[in-house]
Amino acid sequence: MSVSTDHTSMPSDAITVKTSRDPGWYDPVCLDNSQGAPNMKSAHISQRTVSMPRGRRFAVLLVLSWPLLGLIGCGTIPRNPVPLEQMDQAQVPGLPGIRSYATDFSKDFQKDFVQSVRDEPPGLYPLNADGTKPYSLLILSGGGEKGAFGAGFLNGWTQAGTRPMFKGVTGISTGALIAPFAFLGPDYDETLRALFTTSSRKDIIKRRLSADSLSNSRPLATLIAQYVTEDVIQKVAAEHARGRRLYIGTTNMDAQRLVVWNMGAIARSNHPDSLALFRKIMLASASIPVFMPPVMFEVEVGGKRYDELHADGGTVSQMFFIGTTMDPASARKELGFKAGGTKLYIIRNDQSDPVPNQVERKLADILPRTIDTVMKAQSQGDITRIYILTNANDIDFNYVEVPKSYVKKEKGMFNTNEMRRLFALGLEAGAAKSPWRKQPYLWKRYEKMKRAARK
């Protein structure tokens, strides 16, 4: 979930930072990899209260928290990281080939994609008359509470009667929470509605300052477990067997790289921990660094066990397509169909276009404005990169985002009323006749520059 930088993101006049250890306080950063009992060896430190004026943003909390980090009872959490020279070789024990760095070519992913086409039942994606495949692909971006827009959009798209069955779905951050249900289709529209219109901040995080985060994410882990059941991953596995693909992105904090997980392969693996791993990946993809604790994964290199820290996929990219994990051209050649016929749809769960505003000369405005500007620039770059890739592969590009008209009205991150407003906006947009943009903002500016240069 990408960091919200709305002026109203601080819900109260004061933030209580509880750093004392007591058996009733669940702190996931002080737990072992199995999320077991709390580490009671930590020192006891008194409760502190940091007073802040109402209306300050979460970004200010990040700055003010730094001096407190040295006071945390946990100190540094012991871990066993992968040696630097072996980071590219790490695999999940018992599940080789189910993930890849987004910037690496993966023989496993390439082979899996080719197999996916061969697994398609007759008539699911029949060849067009011109020898192309009528695929539809969906990309779901990060955006925190604004994921409610994407959930609403999918519901509206269903109502419009034009929503396709996607060959592939990718999700990052809040998009990772939507992705499995978008992948499974309209039968899960009500699940998305419930997830994004009945949840609130208390269902996502619990504020507790600790050694590696400002809050703990047990509520979000519980929420994911409530909706991502054994039945859900069995259905994901069944769709994977029919040639459809679901991918989620997380950030490997050690390697500073985006990791793409083949969620359908995990679901279909029959591994005893497949459900737990599926949920854990979704949690990691939605865990904002610093604000929420990173998620630890056990990995293996050369028969030895290590751990990796993973966090919000939006740390590296606000959205992703296939990166360089596979080569579509060589796959098409092997399978005997032509480029073209494929449609790509991007749902950006936020606003990417610049929004002019008069920034006051004070930290409470400058810092969050900086974060918002950086995230918008990252998002524009991601969308433009995907646009160039789609052009190179003769893929029809379609893009939608939270409308500029949306301005947050109520205080608090993950505010239920705001998420309901966003869901309604998405529902309206999804049901519209032509909601899609055909070019990203930066490309339109580039085309405008070229036209001006020719005059």
Side-chain angles (χ1 to χ4, degrees), residues 330-376:
S330 63
R332 287 193 299 268
K333 184 177 180 180
E334 181 177 349
L335 292 162
F337 65 90
K338 298 177 181 179
T342 297
K343 296 181 180 293
L344 177 75
Y345 300 95
I346 299 174
I347 300 178
R348 170 60 177 144
N349 294 302
D350 210 332
Q351 297 162 325
S352 298
D353 292 353
V355 178
N357 195 11
Q358 294 174 327
V359 181
E360 292 191 40
R361 194 172 177 178
K362 59 182 180 180
L363 182 62
D365 275 11
I366 294 170
L367 180 60
R369 182 68 171 179
T370 300
I371 294 174
D372 186 53
T373 302
V374 169
M375 291 177 62
K376 282 186 174 181

Short mmCIF file of all heavy atoms in Angstrom, two decimals, residues 330-376:
data_model
loop_
_atom_site.label_atom_id
_atom_site.label_comp_id
_atom_site.label_asym_id
_atom_site.label_seq_id
_atom_site.Cartn_x
_atom_site.Cartn_y
_atom_site.Cartn_z
N SER A 330 9.81 -14.50 -28.73
CA SER A 330 10.27 -15.88 -28.94
C SER A 330 9.19 -16.88 -28.54
O SER A 330 9.07 -17.96 -29.14
CB SER A 330 11.55 -16.14 -28.14
OG SER A 330 11.33 -16.02 -26.75
N ALA A 331 8.36 -16.52 -27.54
CA ALA A 331 7.25 -17.40 -27.16
C ALA A 331 6.23 -17.50 -28.29
O ALA A 331 5.75 -18.60 -28.61
CB ALA A 331 6.59 -16.87 -25.89
N ARG A 332 5.92 -16.37 -28.90
CA ARG A 332 4.98 -16.39 -30.03
C ARG A 332 5.51 -17.24 -31.17
O ARG A 332 4.77 -18.00 -31.80
CB ARG A 332 4.70 -14.96 -30.52
CG ARG A 332 3.83 -14.13 -29.60
CD ARG A 332 3.34 -12.87 -30.30
NE ARG A 332 4.46 -12.01 -30.72
CZ ARG A 332 4.96 -11.02 -29.99
NH1 ARG A 332 4.46 -10.77 -28.79
NH2 ARG A 332 5.96 -10.28 -30.43
N LYS A 333 6.80 -17.09 -31.45
CA LYS A 333 7.40 -17.86 -32.53
C LYS A 333 7.31 -19.35 -32.24
O LYS A 333 6.98 -20.16 -33.13
CB LYS A 333 8.86 -17.44 -32.71
CG LYS A 333 9.56 -18.11 -33.87
CD LYS A 333 10.99 -17.58 -34.03
CE LYS A 333 11.70 -18.26 -35.20
NZ LYS A 333 13.10 -17.76 -35.35
N GLU A 334 7.58 -19.73 -31.01
CA GLU A 334 7.52 -21.15 -30.63
C GLU A 334 6.10 -21.69 -30.71
O GLU A 334 5.88 -22.85 -31.10
CB GLU A 334 8.06 -21.31 -29.21
CG GLU A 334 8.07 -22.76 -28.72
CD GLU A 334 8.68 -22.91 -27.33
OE1 GLU A 334 9.30 -21.94 -26.83
OE2 GLU A 334 8.56 -24.00 -26.74
N LEU A 335 5.13 -20.85 -30.37
CA LEU A 335 3.74 -21.30 -30.30
C LEU A 335 2.98 -21.12 -31.61
O LEU A 335 1.89 -21.67 -31.78
CB LEU A 335 3.02 -20.54 -29.19
CG LEU A 335 3.50 -20.87 -27.76
CD1 LEU A 335 3.06 -19.78 -26.79
CD2 LEU A 335 2.96 -22.23 -27.33
N GLY A 336 3.54 -20.30 -32.53
CA GLY A 336 2.93 -20.19 -33.84
C GLY A 336 1.79 -19.20 -33.96
O GLY A 336 0.87 -19.41 -34.75
N PHE A 337 1.81 -18.13 -33.14
CA PHE A 337 0.82 -17.07 -33.38
C PHE A 337 1.53 -15.72 -33.48
O PHE A 337 2.68 -15.57 -33.07
CB PHE A 337 -0.28 -17.06 -32.32
CG PHE A 337 0.16 -16.74 -30.91
CD1 PHE A 337 0.17 -15.43 -30.45
CD2 PHE A 337 0.52 -17.75 -30.02
CE1 PHE A 337 0.56 -15.13 -29.16
CE2 PHE A 337 0.90 -17.46 -28.72
CZ PHE A 337 0.92 -16.15 -28.28
N LYS A 338 0.82 -14.74 -34.03
CA LYS A 338 1.42 -13.45 -34.35
C LYS A 338 1.23 -12.44 -33.23
O LYS A 338 0.35 -12.59 -32.38
CB LYS A 338 0.80 -12.91 -35.64
CG LYS A 338 1.02 -13.78 -36.87
CD LYS A 338 0.31 -13.17 -38.08
CE LYS A 338 0.49 -14.04 -39.32
NZ LYS A 338 -0.24 -13.46 -40.48
N ALA A 339 2.04 -11.38 -33.27
CA ALA A 339 1.85 -10.25 -32.36
C ALA A 339 0.56 -9.53 -32.71
O ALA A 339 0.12 -9.53 -33.87
CB ALA A 339 3.03 -9.29 -32.46
N GLY A 340 -0.05 -8.89 -31.72
CA GLY A 340 -1.30 -8.19 -31.95
C GLY A 340 -2.46 -8.93 -31.33
O GLY A 340 -2.34 -10.08 -30.89
N GLY A 341 -3.59 -8.26 -31.27
CA GLY A 341 -4.80 -8.88 -30.74
C GLY A 341 -4.95 -8.77 -29.23
O GLY A 341 -6.03 -9.01 -28.69
N THR A 342 -3.86 -8.40 -28.53
CA THR A 342 -3.88 -8.34 -27.07
C THR A 342 -4.21 -6.91 -26.60
O THR A 342 -3.73 -5.93 -27.17
CB THR A 342 -2.52 -8.77 -26.49
OG1 THR A 342 -2.28 -10.14 -26.83
CG2 THR A 342 -2.48 -8.60 -24.99
N LYS A 343 -5.02 -6.83 -25.56
CA LYS A 343 -5.36 -5.56 -24.93
C LYS A 343 -4.81 -5.53 -23.51
O LYS A 343 -4.96 -6.50 -22.76
CB LYS A 343 -6.88 -5.35 -24.90
CG LYS A 343 -7.53 -5.23 -26.28
CD LYS A 343 -9.02 -5.01 -26.15
CE LYS A 343 -9.70 -4.90 -27.51
NZ LYS A 343 -9.29 -3.68 -28.24
N LEU A 344 -4.16 -4.42 -23.15
CA LEU A 344 -3.64 -4.23 -21.81
C LEU A 344 -4.43 -3.14 -21.11
O LEU A 344 -4.64 -2.05 -21.66
CB LEU A 344 -2.16 -3.84 -21.86
CG LEU A 344 -1.52 -3.55 -20.50
CD1 LEU A 344 -1.26 -4.84 -19.75
CD2 LEU A 344 -0.22 -2.78 -20.66
N TYR A 345 -4.87 -3.42 -19.89
CA TYR A 345 -5.63 -2.46 -19.10
C TYR A 345 -4.88 -2.17 -17.80
O TYR A 345 -4.51 -3.09 -17.07
CB TYR A 345 -7.02 -3.02 -18.76
CG TYR A 345 -7.85 -3.34 -19.98
CD1 TYR A 345 -7.88 -4.64 -20.50
CD2 TYR A 345 -8.63 -2.37 -20.60
CE1 TYR A 345 -8.66 -4.96 -21.60
CE2 TYR A 345 -9.41 -2.67 -21.71
CZ TYR A 345 -9.42 -3.96 -22.21
OH TYR A 345 -10.18 -4.27 -23.30
N ILE A 346 -4.67 -0.89 -17.51
CA ILE A 346 -4.02 -0.46 -16.27
C ILE A 346 -5.04 0.30 -15.42
O ILE A 346 -5.64 1.27 -15.90
CB ILE A 346 -2.81 0.45 -16.52
CG1 ILE A 346 -1.74 -0.28 -17.34
CG2 ILE A 346 -2.23 0.94 -15.20
CD1 ILE A 346 -0.57 0.62 -17.75
N ILE A 347 -5.23 -0.15 -14.19
CA ILE A 347 -6.03 0.61 -13.23
C ILE A 347 -5.06 1.20 -12.21
O ILE A 347 -4.46 0.48 -11.41
CB ILE A 347 -7.07 -0.27 -12.52
CG1 ILE A 347 -8.04 -0.89 -13.54
CG2 ILE A 347 -7.84 0.54 -11.47
CD1 ILE A 347 -9.08 -1.82 -12.94
N ARG A 348 -4.88 2.50 -12.30
CA ARG A 348 -3.99 3.22 -11.39
C ARG A 348 -4.81 3.70 -10.19
O ARG A 348 -5.66 4.57 -10.32
CB ARG A 348 -3.34 4.40 -12.12
CG ARG A 348 -2.57 5.37 -11.21
CD ARG A 348 -1.44 4.70 -10.47
NE ARG A 348 -0.69 5.67 -9.67
CZ ARG A 348 -0.17 5.41 -8.49
NH1 ARG A 348 -0.33 4.20 -7.95
NH2 ARG A 348 0.52 6.32 -7.83
N ASN A 349 -4.55 3.11 -9.03
CA ASN A 349 -5.32 3.42 -7.83
C ASN A 349 -4.79 4.68 -7.13
O ASN A 349 -4.50 4.67 -5.93
CB ASN A 349 -5.28 2.22 -6.88
CG ASN A 349 -5.99 1.02 -7.45
OD1 ASN A 349 -7.18 1.07 -7.77
ND2 ASN A 349 -5.26 -0.08 -7.62
N ASP A 350 -4.68 5.72 -7.88
CA ASP A 350 -4.22 7.00 -7.36
C ASP A 350 -4.29 8.00 -8.51
O ASP A 350 -4.77 7.67 -9.59
CB ASP A 350 -2.80 6.92 -6.80
CG ASP A 350 -2.54 7.91 -5.67
OD1 ASP A 350 -3.20 8.98 -5.67
OD2 ASP A 350 -1.69 7.65 -4.82
N GLN A 351 -3.76 9.19 -8.28
CA GLN A 351 -3.67 10.21 -9.32
C GLN A 351 -2.21 10.36 -9.72
O GLN A 351 -1.34 10.52 -8.86
CB GLN A 351 -4.21 11.53 -8.78
CG GLN A 351 -5.69 11.46 -8.41
CD GLN A 351 -6.12 12.59 -7.50
OE1 GLN A 351 -5.36 13.03 -6.65
NE2 GLN A 351 -7.35 13.05 -7.66
N SER A 352 -1.93 10.26 -11.00
CA SER A 352 -0.55 10.34 -11.50
C SER A 352 -0.24 11.68 -12.15
O SER A 352 0.92 12.09 -12.19
CB SER A 352 -0.28 9.22 -12.51
OG SER A 352 -0.42 7.96 -11.89
N ASP A 353 -1.25 12.33 -12.68
CA ASP A 353 -1.02 13.63 -13.32
C ASP A 353 -0.66 14.68 -12.26
O ASP A 353 -1.17 14.65 -11.14
CB ASP A 353 -2.27 14.09 -14.06
CG ASP A 353 -2.57 13.22 -15.27
OD1 ASP A 353 -1.73 12.36 -15.61
OD2 ASP A 353 -3.65 13.40 -15.87
N PRO A 354 0.22 15.62 -12.61
CA PRO A 354 0.54 16.70 -11.67
C PRO A 354 -0.71 17.51 -11.32
O PRO A 354 -1.56 17.77 -12.16
CB PRO A 354 1.54 17.57 -12.46
CG PRO A 354 2.09 16.67 -13.51
CD PRO A 354 0.98 15.74 -13.87
N VAL A 355 -0.82 17.87 -10.04
CA VAL A 355 -1.91 18.70 -9.57
C VAL A 355 -1.31 19.95 -8.93
O VAL A 355 -0.75 19.89 -7.83
CB VAL A 355 -2.79 17.97 -8.53
CG1 VAL A 355 -3.89 18.90 -8.02
CG2 VAL A 355 -3.40 16.71 -9.14
N PRO A 356 -1.34 21.10 -9.62
CA PRO A 356 -0.74 22.32 -9.07
C PRO A 356 -1.37 22.71 -7.73
O PRO A 356 -2.57 22.55 -7.53
CB PRO A 356 -1.04 23.37 -10.15
CG PRO A 356 -1.23 22.58 -11.41
CD PRO A 356 -1.90 21.31 -10.97
N ASN A 357 -0.54 23.18 -6.83
CA ASN A 357 -1.01 23.63 -5.52
C ASN A 357 0.00 24.63 -4.96
O ASN A 357 1.19 24.56 -5.29
CB ASN A 357 -1.16 22.44 -4.57
CG ASN A 357 -1.98 22.79 -3.34
OD1 ASN A 357 -2.62 23.83 -3.28
ND2 ASN A 357 -1.96 21.90 -2.35
N GLN A 358 -0.46 25.54 -4.14
CA GLN A 358 0.43 26.52 -3.52
C GLN A 358 0.90 25.96 -2.18
O GLN A 358 0.13 25.87 -1.23
CB GLN A 358 -0.29 27.85 -3.35
CG GLN A 358 -0.63 28.50 -4.68
CD GLN A 358 -1.49 29.75 -4.54
OE1 GLN A 358 -2.31 29.83 -3.64
NE2 GLN A 358 -1.29 30.70 -5.43
N VAL A 359 2.17 25.59 -2.11
CA VAL A 359 2.73 24.92 -0.95
C VAL A 359 3.22 25.94 0.07
O VAL A 359 4.01 26.83 -0.27
CB VAL A 359 3.89 23.98 -1.36
CG1 VAL A 359 4.45 23.26 -0.15
CG2 VAL A 359 3.42 23.00 -2.43
N GLU A 360 2.75 25.82 1.29
CA GLU A 360 3.22 26.72 2.34
C GLU A 360 4.65 26.37 2.74
O GLU A 360 5.07 25.21 2.66
CB GLU A 360 2.30 26.64 3.57
CG GLU A 360 0.92 27.20 3.31
CD GLU A 360 0.14 27.35 4.61
OE1 GLU A 360 0.73 27.76 5.62
OE2 GLU A 360 -1.06 27.06 4.58
N ARG A 361 5.38 27.38 3.18
CA ARG A 361 6.79 27.18 3.51
C ARG A 361 6.92 26.66 4.94
O ARG A 361 7.35 27.35 5.86
CB ARG A 361 7.56 28.49 3.35
CG ARG A 361 9.06 28.30 3.34
CD ARG A 361 9.77 29.58 2.98
NE ARG A 361 11.21 29.43 3.05
CZ ARG A 361 12.08 30.39 2.76
NH1 ARG A 361 11.63 31.57 2.34
NH2 ARG A 361 13.37 30.18 2.86
N LYS A 362 6.54 25.40 5.12
CA LYS A 362 6.66 24.74 6.41
C LYS A 362 6.79 23.24 6.17
O LYS A 362 6.30 22.70 5.18
CB LYS A 362 5.45 25.04 7.30
CG LYS A 362 4.11 24.62 6.73
CD LYS A 362 2.97 25.01 7.66
CE LYS A 362 1.63 24.58 7.10
NZ LYS A 362 0.52 24.96 7.99
N LEU A 363 7.47 22.57 7.10
CA LEU A 363 7.79 21.16 6.94
C LEU A 363 6.55 20.30 6.73
O LEU A 363 6.56 19.36 5.93
CB LEU A 363 8.56 20.66 8.17
CG LEU A 363 9.01 19.19 8.15
CD1 LEU A 363 9.97 18.95 7.00
CD2 LEU A 363 9.64 18.81 9.48
N ALA A 364 5.47 20.65 7.46
CA ALA A 364 4.24 19.86 7.38
C ALA A 364 3.65 19.84 5.98
O ALA A 364 2.88 18.94 5.64
CB ALA A 364 3.21 20.38 8.38
N ASP A 365 3.98 20.83 5.15
CA ASP A 365 3.52 20.85 3.76
C ASP A 365 4.61 20.39 2.79
O ASP A 365 4.33 19.66 1.82
CB ASP A 365 3.09 22.27 3.37
CG ASP A 365 1.64 22.54 3.75
OD1 ASP A 365 1.06 21.71 4.48
OD2 ASP A 365 1.10 23.57 3.32
N ILE A 366 5.84 20.81 3.03
CA ILE A 366 6.93 20.53 2.09
C ILE A 366 7.24 19.05 2.01
O ILE A 366 7.40 18.49 0.91
CB ILE A 366 8.19 21.32 2.48
CG1 ILE A 366 7.93 22.83 2.31
CG2 ILE A 366 9.39 20.90 1.63
CD1 ILE A 366 9.02 23.71 2.88
N LEU A 367 7.33 18.38 3.17
CA LEU A 367 7.71 16.96 3.17
C LEU A 367 6.69 16.08 2.47
O LEU A 367 7.04 15.33 1.55
CB LEU A 367 7.97 16.48 4.60
CG LEU A 367 8.36 15.01 4.74
CD1 LEU A 367 9.65 14.72 3.97
CD2 LEU A 367 8.53 14.64 6.20
N PRO A 368 5.40 16.13 2.83
CA PRO A 368 4.44 15.27 2.13
C PRO A 368 4.29 15.63 0.66
O PRO A 368 4.03 14.77 -0.17
CB PRO A 368 3.14 15.47 2.91
CG PRO A 368 3.32 16.73 3.65
CD PRO A 368 4.78 16.85 3.95
N ARG A 369 4.43 16.93 0.35
CA ARG A 369 4.36 17.33 -1.06
C ARG A 369 5.51 16.70 -1.84
O ARG A 369 5.35 16.27 -2.99
CB ARG A 369 4.43 18.86 -1.16
CG ARG A 369 4.31 19.41 -2.58
CD ARG A 369 2.94 19.18 -3.17
NE ARG A 369 2.76 19.88 -4.43
CZ ARG A 369 1.66 19.84 -5.17
NH1 ARG A 369 0.62 19.13 -4.77
NH2 ARG A 369 1.58 20.51 -6.30
N THR A 370 6.68 16.61 -1.19
CA THR A 370 7.84 15.98 -1.82
C THR A 370 7.57 14.50 -2.07
O THR A 370 7.82 13.98 -3.17
CB THR A 370 9.08 16.14 -0.93
OG1 THR A 370 9.35 17.53 -0.74
CG2 THR A 370 10.29 15.47 -1.56
N ILE A 371 7.04 13.81 -1.07
CA ILE A 371 6.74 12.38 -1.22
C ILE A 371 5.71 12.16 -2.33
O ILE A 371 5.86 11.28 -3.18
CB ILE A 371 6.24 11.80 0.11
CG1 ILE A 371 7.36 11.81 1.15
CG2 ILE A 371 5.73 10.36 -0.09
CD1 ILE A 371 6.91 11.40 2.54
N ASP A 372 4.67 12.99 -2.33
CA ASP A 372 3.62 12.87 -3.34
C ASP A 372 4.19 13.10 -4.74
O ASP A 372 3.85 12.39 -5.70
CB ASP A 372 2.52 13.88 -3.04
CG ASP A 372 1.32 13.73 -3.97
OD1 ASP A 372 0.79 12.61 -4.07
OD2 ASP A 372 0.92 14.73 -4.59
N THR A 373 5.09 14.09 -4.87
CA THR A 373 5.70 14.40 -6.16
C THR A 373 6.57 13.25 -6.64
O THR A 373 6.53 12.86 -7.82
CB THR A 373 6.52 15.70 -6.07
OG1 THR A 373 5.67 16.76 -5.63
CG2 THR A 373 7.14 16.06 -7.41
N VAL A 374 7.37 12.69 -5.73
CA VAL A 374 8.23 11.55 -6.09
C VAL A 374 7.39 10.36 -6.54
O VAL A 374 7.70 9.71 -7.56
CB VAL A 374 9.13 11.16 -4.89
CG1 VAL A 374 9.82 9.82 -5.16
CG2 VAL A 374 10.16 12.24 -4.62
N MET A 375 6.31 10.07 -5.82
CA MET A 375 5.47 8.93 -6.17
C MET A 375 4.76 9.13 -7.51
O MET A 375 4.63 8.20 -8.30
CB MET A 375 4.46 8.66 -5.06
CG MET A 375 5.09 8.13 -3.79
SD MET A 375 3.90 7.90 -2.46
CE MET A 375 2.83 6.66 -3.19
N LYS A 376 4.34 10.37 -7.77
CA LYS A 376 3.70 10.64 -9.06
C LYS A 376 4.71 10.50 -10.20
O LYS A 376 4.39 9.94 -11.26
CB LYS A 376 3.08 12.03 -9.07
CG LYS A 376 1.77 12.11 -8.33
CD LYS A 376 1.11 13.47 -8.48
CE LYS A 376 -0.27 13.46 -7.84
NZ LYS A 376 -0.96 14.76 -7.98
#
